[in-house]
Amino acid sequence: MSSNTSRRRDITVADVAREAQVSKAQAARALGNYGAVSQDVRERVLAAAEELDYRPNELARSMNTGKSHTIGVVVGDIENPHFGLATRGITDIAKKSGFHVILINTDEETAAEVEAVRVLLDKRVDGLIVAPASSVETQHLQQVRESGRPLVLLDRKAGGLDVETVAVDMADISYDSTRYLLESGHRRIAFVSTLKTEEPYVAGMELDSSQISERLDGITRAFEAQGLPHPADLVRLNSGDAESIRKITVELLQGPDAATAIIASDGLVALSVVEAIQELGLSIPDDVSFLMYDDFAWTRLTTPPLTVISQPVYEMGMAAATALIRQIEGRKAPATAEPLNARLVLRGSVSAPRAVEIYN
Amino acid sequence: MSSNTSRRRDITVADVAREAQVSKAQAARALGNYGAVSQDVRERVLAAAEELDYRPNELARSMNTGKSHTIGVVVGDIENPHFGLATRGITDIAKKSGFHVILINTDEETAAEVEAVRVLLDKRVDGLIVAPASSVETQHLQQVRESGRPLVLLDRKAGGLDVETVAVDMADISYDSTRYLLESGHRRIAFVSTLKTEEPYVAGMELDSSQISERLDGITRAFEAQGLPHPADLVRLNSGDAESIRKITVELLQGPDAATAIIASDGLVALSVVEAIQELGLSIPDDVSFLMYDDFAWTRLTTPPLTVISQPVYEMGMAAATALIRQIEGRKAPATAEPLNARLVLRGSVSAPRAVEIYN
DNA sequence: TTGAAAGCGCTAACAT
DNA sequence: ATGTTAGCGCTTTCAA
């Protein structure tokens, strides 16, 4: 239809300027809405642009202005609904503010994260949101700071870094929910997480993940508050893939000292743990109580529906993007930082253990 | 630690060249690994770059080369695990080939899609992968073609567009699975989808989504093959949000002409349908049989586990990225296009309807 | 308000 | 192998 079906070279401001019979500078001003342009010139330029089907080259634009209107997002696993939802929160806010998102997946590998951050910086993103794979190895994040570009941490804190962080506080909710299990009569409470560690877990060891640290601390404190020792043998980190998690679940549930309750660290872990419990022919909560982090829709469909720790994940994503964009635009942090709180949603997967022994 | 803690201006090739005492061109060649550079110069340049902590400006690089090593991905809803998984397939392949991904969400709005495509083109991405919100409104996709940049369609076909498309064929699996329901004795088979349409569904109407068209066609053909008319009153499009889907489910299951089997068009729909069935106090499959598209882990955890149509979604994402990158690199399509096939996974959610009336 | 000209940081063409 | 000089397409001085 269109008179012009050429495809090779893109139309540039120079082309538009020629067509509109004005200087390149005036054409650029009209097209970019800056500087002073007379009504007459503006109209001619816009008409010419329309006619020629002009499209600005955002790369060239970014080169001059130094702004790319793009933010980089680095997460461990976009396939995990936890991050999927958070990412959605980020992109929704970004779009609303005229920013775009470059997404990079790290598979929770710090090496990949270092590379991702480097690439994004090279691409001159205006800012970065990172869910750090490690709360300890953070030199590359420190470099972001030094590059002068805004950085916001998502979901996890990073030690010793002076960086704005948007994460749900896990300490209190972990304490509270462990109390709940203890008060239901449980003493053998297991915790399963895929967090990778060099060494096997021992009480009080330093962990790579602030999230898991806070949860474990909460659990320990809850036991201590009852004057009980926390059974560290039931903490299973490095739980690995689905198959491996199922195996671990089976182990936890066997022997005289079996766990009577299991806490799954995230939705992916939960899926495998519940599957293993069902395969064992055990019943929730009669044979084993179950509690998990994150409230996904499917947790209401099992029999019984699962008791969960619900986190405002979408809101966390929104908050991170809002904070980053505020930094990019050079505005100061508002005094009112509304906290992101998790809460315990009681459904049917926790009850008293089979053989109740109350010590209080 | 580092001697240099300045942050303002970025280090450029010129700086490195000065430090290494060579021309800008030689420095650039050494840093970019192109042209001819002596061993001596290369070493001095690299050392200087290291010393100054030089980082290339990819924007500037892209301006000259015309390649951004970035592909744009446009999907309707990243939060939907279907697209989450496909996106993972895309990013995995992209990373392996040295490409990065800019992701844009459209909420299945064509207007947002048009905008997204425009923006990505302006950003000079090397190519685009789009899951078109509409198989009919495709002028903007046509424009991508005219811009000369590679385009691959994901998950859905677009009418009349000569574009490489990577999608699972739904016609056969829909036919087969409907046959399965029919042979189990069902006649009142409902189909629930969130697809938005202007008008209510009537048999044979043109739909915006090739996916849904193919499924509906398959269902209709299966009925016809049995010499039965397909009950179009049980096709519920525009099912909307979770609340609305629950309402629709209740309607479908009431009255003398109630559905005896329900097919959910995707995982999100399925969640709400199953929830509604449970809220009604009905049992699957005794009171109503259930079949859904996509095989997610949670479908194995319900009681009974759900019979699903499994699609190679991750592989589809990989195939789309592979095809796009092939196009970008100017290689021709291989003769061997292995097909992406869905398959019916029989679990426990389909049985004979309560009041069986066999007509064969 | 306008235009000429100088960049942004890099690659590419052309000499040498 | 090296350096010089143009660009890429845009924004930004700086004069006029």
Side-chain angles (χ1 to χ4, degrees):
Chain A
M1 304 310 143
S2 155
S3 55
N4 168 343
T5 321
S6 75
R7 29 193 71 178
R8 266 288 61 84
R9 205 179 55 80
D10 286 345
I11 304 296
T12 73
V13 261
D15 299 319
V16 175
R18 198 175 315 112
E19 174 83 10
Q21 318 238 44
V22 298
S23 73
K24 219 177 60 174
Q26 280 307 86
R29 290 195 254 254
L31 293 168
N33 308 308
Y34 59 87
V37 184
S38 69
Q39 189 57 31
D40 174 52
V41 167
R42 164 164 290 109
E43 279 167 12
R44 287 189 1 244
V45 169
L46 264 28
E50 173 85 1
E51 168 68 23
L52 297 176
D53 204 29
Y54 166 81
R55 297 270 71 225
N57 183 327
E58 290 295 343
L59 290 178
R61 207 166 250 183
S62 297
M63 279 250 332
N64 298 268
T65 60
K67 334 239 84 263
S68 61
H69 292 289
T70 302
I71 65 182
V73 174
V74 181
V75 299
D77 182 11
I78 185 59
E79 198 191 328
N80 184 328
H82 181 82
F83 287 114
L85 194 51
T87 302
R88 187 66 204 275
I90 293 172
T91 57
D92 282 356
I93 290 293
K95 167 182 292 183
K96 203 181 302 178
S97 310
F99 283 84
H100 296 101
V101 169
I102 299 187
L103 185 69
I104 302 191
N105 224 85
T106 65
D107 284 313
E108 302 291 3
E109 307 274 4
T110 299
E113 184 177 300
V114 171
E115 162 76 3
V117 166
R118 239 209 41 227
V119 163
L120 290 168
L121 252 22
D122 289 355
K123 275 191 177 297
R124 299 302 191 260
V125 294
D126 292 342
L128 283 173
I129 295 177
V130 178
S134 166
S135 298
V136 179
E137 295 181 60
T138 57
Q139 311 93 328
H140 57 298
L141 298 177
Q142 184 58 44
Q143 285 182 21
V144 175
R145 303 258 43 197
E146 281 163 11
S147 83
R149 250 158 300 175
L151 167 68
V152 168
L153 261 33
L154 180 78
D155 198 60
R156 303 154 181 180
K157 300 164 186 159
L161 259 184
D162 175 31
V163 174
E164 188 162 354
T165 301
V166 177
V168 180
D169 185 70
M170 289 292 131
D172 291 350
I173 191 69
S174 175
Y175 176 85
D176 291 347
S177 49
T178 306
R179 280 297 291 248
Y180 169 65
L181 289 172
L182 287 168
E183 281 160 13
S184 299
H186 294 276
R187 294 298 177 269
R188 298 289 295 164
I189 301 173
F191 180 81
V192 182
S193 163
T194 49
L195 178 70
K196 295 173 200 148
T197 61
E198 301 282 310
E199 340 233 319
Y201 176 78
V202 293
M205 80 184 273
E206 175 155 19
L207 293 176
D208 239 20
S209 162
S210 64
Q211 280 272 352
I212 305 300
S213 287
E214 289 178 6
R215 297 180 193 187
L216 252 15
D217 285 354
I219 293 173
T220 306
R221 281 195 295 117
F223 271 88
E224 287 170 352
Q226 298 277 71
L228 297 166
H230 170 224
D233 62 307
L234 293 179
V235 174
R236 297 305 173 91
L237 308 180
N238 302 295
S239 64
D241 63 12
E243 178 53 38
S244 165
I245 295 170
R246 283 201 292 273
K247 210 168 294 175
I248 287 172
T249 305
V250 172
E251 286 170 23
L252 285 170
L253 262 16
Q254 263 159 359
D257 250 7
T260 62
I262 299 182
I263 302 174
S265 182
D266 67 42
L268 259 23
V269 169
L271 248 9
S272 297
V273 169
V274 173
E275 197 169 7
I277 292 173
Q278 292 186 174
E279 283 172 5
L280 284 172
L282 296 179
S283 141
I284 297 174
D286 294 339
D287 298 313
V288 54
S289 285
F290 181 80
L291 177 64
M292 65 180 275
Y293 279 83
D294 274 328
D295 182 15
F296 297 123
W298 63 264
T299 60
R300 289 189 298 260
L301 300 186
T302 54
T303 311
L306 305 175
T307 291
V308 303
I309 292 170
S310 163
Q311 308 181 58
V313 178
Y314 179 77
E315 290 74 10
M316 177 176 71
M318 294 204 301
T322 302
L324 184 69
I325 291 170
R326 175 179 47 62
Q327 283 191 37
I328 290 173
E329 296 179 344
R331 287 175 282 131
K332 274 296 114 199
T336 51
E338 2 75 75
L340 294 164
N341 288 320
R343 65 181 219 287
L344 184 62
V345 179
L346 266 31
R347 293 208 269 252
S349 63
V350 173
S351 70
R354 196 126 250 180
V356 192
E357 307 170 85
I358 302 282
Y359 295 100
N360 338 337
Chain B
M1 305 306 146
S2 155
S3 54
N4 168 344
T5 321
S6 74
R7 27 193 74 177
R8 264 289 62 84
R9 205 179 55 81
D10 287 345
I11 304 294
T12 73
V13 259
D15 299 319
V16 176
R18 196 175 318 113
E19 174 84 10
Q21 317 237 48
V22 297
S23 72
K24 220 176 62 175
Q26 278 309 85
R29 288 194 255 255
L31 293 168
N33 302 309
Y34 61 89
V37 184
S38 69
Q39 190 56 30
D40 174 51
V41 168
R42 162 164 292 109
E43 277 166 12
R44 284 183 11 236
V45 169
L46 264 29
E50 173 85 0
E51 168 67 24
L52 298 176
D53 205 27
Y54 166 80
R55 296 272 70 224
N57 183 328
E58 290 295 343
L59 254 33
R61 208 166 249 183
S62 298
M63 279 253 325
N64 296 271
T65 60
K67 334 238 86 266
S68 61
H69 292 290
T70 302
I71 66 183
V73 175
V74 181
V75 299
D77 182 11
I78 186 61
E79 197 192 330
N80 183 328
H82 181 83
F83 287 114
L85 194 50
T87 301
R88 187 67 206 274
I90 292 172
T91 58
D92 282 356
I93 291 292
K95 167 182 290 183
K96 204 181 302 178
S97 310
F99 283 83
H100 296 102
V101 170
I102 299 188
L103 185 67
I104 303 191
N105 224 85
T106 65
D107 284 313
E108 301 292 3
E109 307 274 3
T110 299
E113 184 176 301
V114 172
E115 164 75 3
V117 165
R118 240 207 41 227
V119 162
L120 290 169
L121 251 23
D122 290 354
K123 273 192 177 296
R124 298 304 191 263
V125 293
D126 291 342
L128 283 173
I129 295 177
V130 179
S134 166
S135 298
V136 178
E137 295 181 61
T138 56
Q139 310 94 325
H140 58 298
L141 299 178
Q142 185 58 45
Q143 285 182 21
V144 175
R145 302 258 42 198
E146 281 163 13
S147 83
R149 248 156 303 174
L151 168 67
V152 168
L153 261 34
L154 180 78
D155 199 59
R156 303 155 181 178
K157 299 163 186 160
L161 259 184
D162 176 30
V163 175
E164 188 163 354
T165 301
V166 177
V168 180
D169 185 69
M170 289 292 131
D172 291 350
I173 192 68
S174 175
Y175 176 86
D176 291 346
S177 49
T178 307
R179 280 296 294 247
Y180 169 65
L181 289 173
L182 286 168
E183 282 160 11
S184 299
H186 293 277
R187 294 299 177 267
R188 299 289 294 164
I189 301 173
F191 179 82
V192 183
S193 163
T194 49
L195 179 70
K196 294 172 200 147
T197 61
E198 301 283 310
E199 342 233 318
Y201 177 77
V202 292
M205 82 184 272
E206 175 155 21
L207 293 177
D208 239 21
S209 162
S210 65
Q211 281 272 353
I212 306 299
S213 288
E214 289 177 6
R215 296 179 193 187
L216 253 13
D217 286 354
I219 294 174
T220 305
R221 282 194 296 115
F223 271 89
E224 286 170 352
Q226 299 278 67
L228 297 166
H230 170 225
D233 63 306
L234 293 179
V235 174
R236 297 305 174 88
L237 308 180
N238 302 296
S239 63
D241 63 13
E243 179 53 38
S244 164
I245 295 170
R246 283 202 293 272
K247 211 169 291 174
I248 287 171
T249 305
V250 171
E251 286 169 23
L252 285 170
L253 262 16
Q254 263 159 359
D257 251 6
T260 62
I262 298 181
I263 302 174
S265 183
D266 67 41
L268 259 21
V269 170
L271 248 10
S272 296
V273 169
V274 172
E275 196 168 9
I277 292 172
Q278 292 186 174
E279 283 171 4
L280 284 170
L282 296 179
S283 141
I284 296 175
D286 294 340
D287 299 312
V288 53
S289 286
F290 182 79
L291 177 64
M292 65 178 276
Y293 280 83
D294 274 328
D295 183 15
F296 297 122
W298 62 264
T299 60
R300 288 190 297 260
L301 299 187
T302 55
T303 311
L306 304 176
T307 291
V308 302
I309 292 170
S310 162
Q311 308 181 59
V313 178
Y314 180 77
E315 289 76 9
M316 177 176 72
M318 292 204 303
T322 303
L324 184 70
I325 291 170
R326 176 177 48 60
Q327 283 190 37
I328 290 173
E329 296 179 344
R331 289 175 282 130
K332 274 295 114 198
T336 50
E338 3 74 74
L340 294 166
N341 289 319
R343 65 181 219 285
L344 184 62
V345 178
L346 266 32
R347 294 206 270 251
S349 63
V350 173
S351 70
R354 196 126 251 178
V356 192
E357 307 171 85
I358 301 283
Y359 296 100
N360 336 338

